Amino acid sequence: MSGQELWSKVDRYLDDLFVGDDPALDAALEASSAAGLPPIAVAPTQGKLLCLLARLQGAKRILEIGTLGGYSTIWLARALPADGRLITLEAVAKYAEVAKANIARAKLADKVNIKVGQALATLPLLAAEKAGPFDLVFIDADRPNNPAYLEWALQHTRKGSLIVCDNVVRQGQVLDARSEDAGVQGMRRFNELLAAEPRVTATAIQTVGMKGYDGFAVALVTADPST
Ligand code: SAH
Ligand code: DHB
Ligand code: MG
């Protein structure tokens, strides 16, 4: 059995045990696939980890950058209390439409606000409407912009907030300092900035599973953005 086959089998085993059938999430993936969205949502076990992190955090305000079909959105929004809110940013209008239906089917429409547009254009609008500070920011969009998303997140979180970023390893591509791929450079710069950032304490974890070999970073904001 190849590494990938084994990782996928074990992921399905863990998925069966720890997640199992979940009509709203299963329907979200089916509708996303039927609409032709790429199959790049977080894996079920990762989605549940996002949900657990948001619960541990007691998050009431969550920002997600990169909605796709709303799969990770549903996991994160499920962690919210009745008065909690999640804002999620998506560049592709068609993806946002699919996500909207998936989120409504999961009975989370009253907690989730999808904003369509390039995140770098939408983020200043959020700042203007004083949507923050956010208790948790999940970065999972275009890697070239990850350094900019990190900087924005640091300005719109508070001491005790959590910043999570997906796809920080990409099959080990992260080691290629000379890569001419803007995504690889963005991922490397993001990791370097996060590691050197005095306002957070952070780590990054490699992962294998049905989505291949990748990793995610988690940072706890330890100082207020103004300090
Ligand atoms: N978080 C989702 C997966 C997101 S995939 C999940 O796990 O379920 C990345 C998404 O980011 C794609 O839908 C893509 O269209 C979106 N995206 C890429 N560049 C973007 C940008 N500049 N602004 C906003 N969204 C962007
Ligand atoms: C891919 C995976 C992701 O988690 C993502 O956010 C973007 C792309 C991929 O496998 O191509
Ligand atoms: Mg991702």
Side-chain angles (χ1 to χ4, degrees):
M1 207 183 313
S2 72
Q4 182 56 62
E5 277 176 276
L6 182 60
W7 303 340
S8 295
K9 270 199 164 177
V10 172
D11 223 358
R12 280 195 292 275
Y13 161 83
L14 297 173
D15 182 1
D16 284 347
L17 280 178
F18 290 101
V19 181
D21 291 335
D22 185 309
L25 287 169
D26 297 344
L29 290 181
E30 274 165 37
S32 299
S33 170
L37 273 54
I40 57 172
V42 294
T45 51
Q46 295 169 335
K48 189 156 182 187
L49 177 62
L50 289 173
C51 185
L52 288 171
L53 289 172
R55 283 180 69 172
L56 285 165
Q57 181 64 4
K60 281 191 154 190
R61 271 181 285 202
I62 298 177
L63 172 67
E64 175 179 68
I65 307 177
T67 316
L68 192 66
Y71 183 79
S72 55
T73 316
I74 292 170
W75 275 115
L76 285 165
R78 281 181 175 175
L80 290 168
D83 60 344
R85 294 292 177 266
L86 183 152
I87 297 173
T88 183
L89 312 184
E90 175 52 54
V92 182
K94 178 186 144 180
Y95 296 179
E97 283 305 311
V98 174
K100 196 174 174 192
N102 287 338
I103 289 158
R105 197 187 298 106
K107 308 243 180 300
L108 292 164
D110 53 336
K111 289 180 179 168
V112 176
N113 184 349
I114 308 176
K115 299 213 181 257
V116 181
Q118 293 289 325
L120 285 182
T122 315
L123 289 170
L125 306 178
L126 294 188
E129 48 183 74
K130 299 204 183 342
F134 294 95
D135 306 311
L136 190 155
V137 178
F138 178 47
I139 302 171
D140 189 19
D142 49 336
R143 287 179 282 285
N145 283 322
N146 277 359
Y149 299 149
L150 174 61
E151 192 46 49
W152 198 93
L154 287 168
Q155 296 303 323
H156 297 88
T157 48
R158 49 150 183 100
K159 188 174 174 177
S161 293
L162 214 51
I163 300 170
V164 181
C165 183
D166 195 22
N167 311 113
V168 301
V169 172
R170 300 302 288 157
Q171 296 90 24
Q173 287 176 49
V174 69
L175 293 182
D176 188 1
R178 294 190 184 164
S179 172
E180 288 176 15
D181 182 312
V184 172
Q185 289 302 341
M187 164 169 72
R188 286 179 59 82
R189 188 86 190 114
F190 173 91
N191 289 336
E192 287 155 17
L193 288 167
L194 192 65
E197 174 55 58
R199 292 166 290 182
V200 308
T201 179
T203 193
I205 297 292
Q206 303 184 73
T207 56
V208 294
M210 60 176 72
K211 303 284 161 159
Y213 166 38
D214 212 321
F216 64 90
V218 181
L220 176 67
V221 179
T222 50
D224 282 313
S226 53
T227 58

